Amino acid sequence: MAANVQSVLDATLPGLGYELVDLELAHNGLVRVFIDKPGGITVDDCVTVSNHLTRLFMVEEVPYERLEVSSPGVDRPLTKPEDFTRFAGEKVRIKLRLPLPDKRKKLLGTLIGLEDGAVVVDVDGERLALPLTQIDKVRLEPQF
């Protein structure tokens, strides 16, 4: 089902002017959609997308009990290869699947980009290339 919902969203949201940031499917029938656009997301954007997806899911026979549409927040997850280029130079928090040799599993650094399937980040002056397969999550670190 996840692949079906993902493909429906990938085909629909760009035409509405939105980017699919993340998708969560819960066991209780909850479909949670995180969207973004240049300039950020407003409540009206969430309402517009929610109304559109409610009708679309009915037509496409996507089973769900509840639909939530929201912005990715200030700690936006980076999930697609183009995210790592778009947000280069930003502070990121990385959680690894397995610890590094020095036992670190969580890192905070400046995103350099994506090179040869690895997220390149500067952590305290040390340049690290972390294969995407070893990364659990990457999120922007809010700067206030």
Side-chain angles (χ1 to χ4, degrees):
M1 179 176 125
N4 182 38
V5 174
Q6 178 85 37
S7 65
V8 166
L9 294 173
D10 285 340
T12 303
L13 292 176
L16 297 173
Y18 300 98
E19 168 194 2
L20 175 64
V21 174
D22 204 2
L23 168 66
E24 293 177 8
L25 302 175
H27 298 299
N28 60 359
L30 170 65
V31 175
R32 190 174 286 137
V33 178
F34 297 91
I35 58 172
D36 203 1
K37 71 174 185 182
I41 295 297
T42 66
V43 172
D44 289 338
D45 293 318
C46 294
V47 170
T48 297
V49 171
S50 179
N51 289 338
H52 186 85
L53 293 180
T54 298
R55 291 187 296 277
L56 181 65
F57 285 179
M58 191 181 330
V59 170
E60 295 290 332
E61 298 180 358
V62 174
Y64 72 99
E65 294 294 320
R66 206 168 77 236
L67 173 64
E68 292 180 7
V69 178
S70 69
S71 79
V74 294
D75 62 341
R76 174 197 167 114
L78 305 184
T79 56
K80 300 181 286 270
E82 53 270 16
D83 290 346
F84 298 101
T85 301
R86 177 177 168 193
F87 293 103
E90 299 286 333
K91 288 282 187 195
V92 291
R93 185 167 299 278
I94 299 174
K95 182 179 175 193
L96 301 171
R97 295 183 200 284
L98 299 170
L100 294 172
D102 63 6
K103 308 285 190 233
R104 290 183 295 174
K105 202 171 173 184
K106 295 180 181 179
L107 306 167
L108 177 64
T110 302
L111 179 63
I112 296 171
L114 187 67
E115 297 174 5
D116 300 321
V119 174
V120 182
V121 63
D122 180 301
V123 178
D124 299 326
E126 180 183 6
R127 182 183 168 107
L128 300 174
L130 307 164
L132 281 170
T133 56
Q134 292 181 5
I135 294 176
D136 186 33
K137 292 180 186 176
V138 178
R139 291 187 167 275
L140 292 177
E141 179 68 10
Q143 302 296 304
F144 299 104

